[in-house]
Amino acid sequence: MQTRIDPSLAGHPGIDAAQAALQRCVHCGFCNAACPTYRLQGDELDGPRGRIYLIKQLLEGQNATASSQHHLDRCLGCRACESACPSGVEYGRLLDVGREIAAGRIARPWRQRWLRRALLAILPYPRRLSPLAALARLAKPLLPAALRAKVPAKPTPETWPPLSRRRRMLILEGCVQPALAPRINAATARVLDRLGISVIQGQSACCGALAHHLDEREAALDAIRRRIDAWWPALQAGAEAIVITASGCGTMIKDYGYLLRDDPDYAAKAAQVAAKAKDIAEIIRAEDTAKLAACPRKIAFQAPCSLQHGQALAGVVESLLTGLGFELATVADAGLCCGSAGSYSLLQPELSGRLRLAKLTALQAGQPELIASANIGCLLHLRETAQLPVVHWIELLDGWDR
């Protein structure tokens, strides 16, 4: 696809990647067949090909409209289109640039602005989120049904094993996860301890993904630099890897090198941190899983988009679970998004709810005992209306029995 970039955008971060993506696109439409919002809406502008045209218009200097921003906002960022694209279009990078440019040219309605500000002020900070979650639990009987479903149960205290192993790894504790589902990180530490690896706890903090996906580029880069500074001493001291249990965060951290490629102080460090970032499935795949007990449970695995498409780890968790004795229920359209997509479920509740209904129908059709996921956002989103327990798959290896 030929395009003439508006001269005013020369030197804009990401413009070269955006132009390369546009040049690769051959308008074939394979992406639309893989796109959850296109399948729901049947609207060309709610599919990757239509959104690529909208972004092309923005890059060429045409007027940005609220309609253009609306269709870009409705993209989940699931990157299923990238997996389906025969031309290797890096749609995710193109979308980031398009959304950022649109956000700079179009004033959002005040309700949208305040909601986005509230999300950025609360969700990345566990010390703010935890008391608000506790308050929500107290007020739960008074809340509307839609909000009651979002209030998580009170987490129970978790025990972490001591740092007694010679092998050491860092862990991204995250922002939402420590406040709403602390068992996941603790279960990871216990499982890795059985494999001879000690997990080093750090400060609970955001990886930068939330700000990045809300078009707050500088806030995202600041969060990334803070993460690098926090991890760097332990990495220099010999920590083998950064273990990540939220696949959405994994996709973000593995992109640190690209996002800070032009930062003279952080580019090299960011590239090294990205190389050290490993999804927990990658860690366990490389170890002797005979040390982990088998389990005969029948489960349905919800493969997050960030695991399948963002990190290209499709089938890895399923293979591990099958090898450990779990029976996996067949899940139709397993490559489609569940509708969580970070803050998408809060910003686009109608589309998100329809996608969740379709995903839960597919997950529960095989009559599993429970549903397992690999991402905290998907887990919390599905748990709101699921008829079965929804857990992180690493909890199953820790002996989940609740």
Side-chain angles (χ1 to χ4, degrees):
M1 181 184 292
Q2 295 301 313
T3 186
R4 295 180 181 178
I5 301 297
D6 184 347
S8 68
L9 295 174
H12 185 285
I15 201 67
D16 291 339
Q19 188 165 20
L22 287 172
Q23 289 172 344
R24 281 181 172 271
C25 181
V26 296
H27 331 287
C28 67
F30 285 124
C31 54
N32 280 348
C35 176
T37 52
Y38 179 80
R39 290 174 60 150
L40 280 182
Q41 302 294 97
D43 184 339
E44 181 75 13
L45 295 180
D46 278 324
R49 185 169 60 182
R51 292 183 179 117
I52 286 173
Y53 275 107
L54 291 176
I55 295 169
K56 178 178 182 290
Q57 290 173 349
L58 291 174
L59 297 184
E60 291 179 336
Q62 296 188 36
N63 289 335
T65 67
S67 176
S68 297
Q69 188 173 60
H70 173 68
H71 290 293
L72 294 180
D73 282 347
R74 295 215 296 196
C75 177
L76 292 141
C78 69
R79 293 167 65 175
C81 55
E82 291 190 16
S83 296
C85 180
S87 301
V89 174
E90 291 187 308
Y91 171 82
R93 300 211 191 286
L94 180 61
L95 178 68
D96 289 341
V97 174
R99 280 178 165 171
E100 185 181 346
I101 291 172
R105 295 179 182 176
I106 304 167
R108 293 183 180 278
W110 70 268
R111 291 179 186 274
Q112 290 187 27
R113 293 199 304 271
W114 279 104
L115 176 56
R116 286 168 173 258
R117 288 173 185 171
L119 293 177
L120 284 171
I122 297 171
L123 294 185
Y125 305 99
R127 291 183 180 179
R128 300 176 189 176
L129 181 58
S130 292
L132 286 175
L135 183 62
R137 282 191 287 271
L138 290 174
K140 186 173 181 177
L142 306 176
L143 296 176
L147 290 179
R148 283 202 303 271
K150 293 183 180 297
V151 178
K154 182 178 180 180
T156 56
E158 295 292 336
T159 302
W160 287 60
L163 295 174
S164 59
R165 309 295 189 180
R166 291 185 62 185
R167 296 178 63 190
R168 301 285 174 94
M169 293 184 182
L170 290 160
I171 189 168
L172 171 73
E173 294 191 58
C175 48
V176 173
Q177 194 161 289
L180 304 183
R183 177 178 167 84
I184 297 172
N185 287 333
T188 300
R190 291 190 290 264
V191 170
L192 290 181
D193 185 70
R194 286 155 57 192
L195 295 173
I197 302 168
S198 283
V199 173
I200 304 170
Q201 286 184 266
Q203 180 186 15
S204 301
C206 183
C207 65
L210 182 65
H212 180 68
H213 295 306
L214 290 175
D215 312 319
E216 297 290 342
R217 183 174 182 275
E218 291 306 316
L221 296 182
D222 287 342
I224 291 171
R225 294 184 187 104
R226 288 194 295 271
R227 287 296 86 229
I228 292 172
D229 289 341
W231 287 328
W232 194 249
L235 291 174
Q236 292 296 96
E240 293 180 33
I242 302 167
V243 183
I244 303 165
T245 58
S247 59
C249 299
T251 301
M252 180 69 177
I253 296 169
K254 290 181 178 182
D255 217 24
Y256 275 11
Y258 171 79
L259 292 169
L260 288 181
R261 66 197 181 282
D262 297 324
D263 188 319
D265 297 321
Y266 281 88
K269 289 181 178 180
Q272 291 184 53
V273 167
K276 290 285 188 179
K278 303 291 180 185
D279 187 88
I280 182 59
E282 294 179 277
I283 301 293
I284 292 180
R285 178 175 61 179
E287 302 297 323
D288 180 10
T289 56
K291 298 177 181 178
L292 302 175
C295 180
R297 288 181 181 272
K298 183 178 182 180
I299 67 169
F301 180 64
Q302 180 263 332
C305 304
S306 46
L307 192 70
Q308 297 186 73
H309 312 302
Q311 298 189 61
L313 293 174
V316 174
V317 175
E318 295 93 323
S319 178
L320 285 170
L321 292 174
T322 301
L324 288 169
F326 292 89
E327 178 186 354
L328 266 62
T330 300
V331 179
D333 289 327
L336 290 181
C337 185
C338 70
S340 171
S343 58
Y344 189 92
S345 61
L346 300 173
L347 298 172
Q348 302 286 339
E350 192 271 333
L351 286 180
S352 176
R354 290 166 64 189
L355 290 167
R356 177 173 58 192
L357 176 61
K359 178 60 69 174
L360 283 173
T361 299
L363 288 167
Q364 295 171 160
Q367 299 184 318
E369 296 178 52
L370 51 84
I371 297 167
S373 182
N375 187 54
I376 181 63
C378 304
L379 185 154
L380 294 174
H381 181 58
L382 294 173
R383 188 180 281 176
E384 287 182 24
T385 58
Q387 298 172 7
L388 299 171
V390 185
V391 301
H392 194 288
W393 70 271
I394 198 67
E395 297 179 78
L396 302 178
L397 274 58
D398 185 47
W400 183 88
D401 57 0
R402 283 180 271 173

